PDB file of all heavy atoms in Angstrom:
ATOM      1  N   LEU A 112      -3.140  12.224   5.886  1.00 94.00           N
ATOM      2  CA  LEU A 112      -1.770  11.722   5.978  1.00 94.00           C
ATOM      3  C   LEU A 112      -1.679  10.440   5.158  1.00 94.00           C
ATOM      4  O   LEU A 112      -2.481   9.522   5.352  1.00 94.00           O
ATOM      5  CB  LEU A 112      -1.430  11.443   7.440  1.00 94.00           C
ATOM      6  CG  LEU A 112       0.043  11.413   7.853  1.00 94.00           C
ATOM      7  CD1 LEU A 112       0.665  12.785   7.720  1.00 94.00           C
ATOM      8  CD2 LEU A 112       0.153  10.927   9.293  1.00 94.00           C
ATOM      9  N   THR A 195      -7.478  13.748  11.797  1.00 93.00           N
ATOM     10  CA  THR A 195      -6.539  13.120  10.875  1.00 93.00           C
ATOM     11  C   THR A 195      -7.159  11.897  10.221  1.00 93.00           C
ATOM     12  O   THR A 195      -7.763  11.059  10.895  1.00 93.00           O
ATOM     13  CB  THR A 195      -5.249  12.697  11.597  1.00 93.00           C
ATOM     14  OG1 THR A 195      -4.668  13.823  12.244  1.00 93.00           O
ATOM     15  CG2 THR A 195      -4.240  12.118  10.609  1.00 93.00           C
ATOM     16  N   TRP A 197      -5.557   8.904   8.134  1.00 94.00           N
ATOM     17  CA  TRP A 197      -4.263   8.321   7.794  1.00 94.00           C
ATOM     18  C   TRP A 197      -4.466   7.210   6.768  1.00 94.00           C
ATOM     19  O   TRP A 197      -5.086   6.185   7.061  1.00 94.00           O
ATOM     20  CB  TRP A 197      -3.592   7.772   9.047  1.00 94.00           C
ATOM     21  CG  TRP A 197      -2.152   7.375   8.872  1.00 94.00           C
ATOM     22  CD1 TRP A 197      -1.509   7.078   7.718  1.00 94.00           C
ATOM     23  CD2 TRP A 197      -1.173   7.228   9.903  1.00 94.00           C
ATOM     24  NE1 TRP A 197      -0.204   6.769   7.939  1.00 94.00           N
ATOM     25  CE2 TRP A 197       0.044   6.842   9.281  1.00 94.00           C
ATOM     26  CE3 TRP A 197      -1.199   7.369  11.291  1.00 94.00           C
ATOM     27  CZ2 TRP A 197       1.198   6.607   9.992  1.00 94.00           C
ATOM     28  CZ3 TRP A 197      -0.037   7.124  12.007  1.00 94.00           C
ATOM     29  CH2 TRP A 197       1.146   6.767  11.373  1.00 94.00           C
ATOM     30  N   LEU A 210       4.413   8.805  16.012  1.00 94.00           N
ATOM     31  CA  LEU A 210       3.563   9.658  15.185  1.00 94.00           C
ATOM     32  C   LEU A 210       2.091   9.467  15.546  1.00 94.00           C
ATOM     33  O   LEU A 210       1.317  10.436  15.573  1.00 94.00           O
ATOM     34  CB  LEU A 210       3.804   9.338  13.710  1.00 94.00           C
ATOM     35  CG  LEU A 210       2.996  10.146  12.701  1.00 94.00           C
ATOM     36  CD1 LEU A 210       3.239  11.632  12.867  1.00 94.00           C
ATOM     37  CD2 LEU A 210       3.327   9.702  11.270  1.00 94.00           C
ATOM     38  N   THR A 211       1.698   8.233  15.842  1.00 93.00           N
ATOM     39  CA  THR A 211       0.308   7.975  16.232  1.00 93.00           C
ATOM     40  C   THR A 211      -0.040   8.724  17.514  1.00 93.00           C
ATOM     41  O   THR A 211      -1.122   9.340  17.623  1.00 93.00           O
ATOM     42  CB  THR A 211       0.092   6.466  16.418  1.00 93.00           C
ATOM     43  OG1 THR A 211       0.392   5.791  15.201  1.00 93.00           O
ATOM     44  CG2 THR A 211      -1.344   6.174  16.809  1.00 93.00           C
ATOM     45  N   GLN A 212       0.834   8.703  18.475  1.00 92.00           N
ATOM     46  CA  GLN A 212       0.584   9.426  19.719  1.00 92.00           C
ATOM     47  C   GLN A 212       0.477  10.925  19.475  1.00 92.00           C
ATOM     48  O   GLN A 212      -0.379  11.601  20.055  1.00 92.00           O
ATOM     49  CB  GLN A 212       1.699   9.128  20.715  1.00 92.00           C
ATOM     50  CG  GLN A 212       1.730   7.680  21.197  1.00 92.00           C
ATOM     51  CD  GLN A 212       2.899   7.399  22.121  1.00 92.00           C
ATOM     52  OE1 GLN A 212       3.724   8.270  22.378  1.00 92.00           O
ATOM     53  NE2 GLN A 212       2.973   6.170  22.617  1.00 92.00           N
ATOM     54  N   ALA A 213       1.325  11.460  18.620  1.00 93.00           N
ATOM     55  CA  ALA A 213       1.278  12.890  18.330  1.00 93.00           C
ATOM     56  C   ALA A 213      -0.025  13.269  17.637  1.00 93.00           C
ATOM     57  O   ALA A 213      -0.607  14.327  17.919  1.00 93.00           O
ATOM     58  CB  ALA A 213       2.474  13.275  17.455  1.00 93.00           C
ATOM     59  N   LEU A 214      -0.517  12.423  16.742  1.00 93.00           N
ATOM     60  CA  LEU A 214      -1.770  12.718  16.044  1.00 93.00           C
ATOM     61  C   LEU A 214      -2.957  12.644  16.996  1.00 93.00           C
ATOM     62  O   LEU A 214      -3.867  13.480  16.937  1.00 93.00           O
ATOM     63  CB  LEU A 214      -1.954  11.742  14.882  1.00 93.00           C
ATOM     64  CG  LEU A 214      -0.971  11.877  13.717  1.00 93.00           C
ATOM     65  CD1 LEU A 214      -1.166  10.753  12.721  1.00 93.00           C
ATOM     66  CD2 LEU A 214      -1.134  13.227  13.028  1.00 93.00           C
ATOM     67  N   GLN A 215      -2.975  11.641  17.867  1.00 92.00           N
ATOM     68  CA  GLN A 215      -4.078  11.527  18.809  1.00 92.00           C
ATOM     69  C   GLN A 215      -4.084  12.674  19.812  1.00 92.00           C
ATOM     70  O   GLN A 215      -5.147  13.053  20.313  1.00 92.00           O
ATOM     71  CB  GLN A 215      -3.992  10.182  19.541  1.00 92.00           C
ATOM     72  CG  GLN A 215      -4.359   8.983  18.668  1.00 92.00           C
ATOM     73  CD  GLN A 215      -4.373   7.688  19.445  1.00 92.00           C
ATOM     74  OE1 GLN A 215      -3.368   7.282  20.021  1.00 92.00           O
ATOM     75  NE2 GLN A 215      -5.519   7.025  19.465  1.00 92.00           N
ATOM     76  N   ALA A 216      -2.915  13.233  20.083  1.00 92.00           N
ATOM     77  CA  ALA A 216      -2.872  14.386  20.987  1.00 92.00           C
ATOM     78  C   ALA A 216      -3.464  15.630  20.345  1.00 92.00           C
ATOM     79  O   ALA A 216      -3.897  16.547  21.056  1.00 92.00           O
ATOM     80  CB  ALA A 216      -1.427  14.651  21.413  1.00 92.00           C
ATOM     81  N   ARG A 217      -3.486  15.663  18.984  1.00 91.00           N
ATOM     82  CA  ARG A 217      -4.031  16.831  18.280  1.00 91.00           C
ATOM     83  C   ARG A 217      -5.519  16.708  18.000  1.00 91.00           C
ATOM     84  O   ARG A 217      -6.183  17.714  17.732  1.00 91.00           O
ATOM     85  CB  ARG A 217      -3.297  17.015  16.949  1.00 91.00           C
ATOM     86  CG  ARG A 217      -1.799  17.212  17.078  1.00 91.00           C
ATOM     87  CD  ARG A 217      -1.457  18.532  17.751  1.00 91.00           C
ATOM     88  NE  ARG A 217      -0.032  18.781  17.686  1.00 91.00           N
ATOM     89  CZ  ARG A 217       0.579  19.408  16.689  1.00 91.00           C
ATOM     90  NH1 ARG A 217      -0.132  19.857  15.679  1.00 91.00           N
ATOM     91  NH2 ARG A 217       1.875  19.596  16.717  1.00 91.00           N
ATOM     92  N   GLY A 218      -6.055  15.481  18.000  1.00 91.00           N
ATOM     93  CA  GLY A 218      -7.468  15.319  17.702  1.00 91.00           C
ATOM     94  C   GLY A 218      -7.780  13.898  17.292  1.00 91.00           C
ATOM     95  O   GLY A 218      -6.939  12.996  17.397  1.00 91.00           O
TER      96      GLY A 218
END
Side-chain angles (χ1 to χ4, degrees):
L112 202 67
T195 304
W197 191 339
L210 180 58
T211 301
Q212 293 177 358
L214 292 173
Q215 288 185 301
R217 301 293 188 89

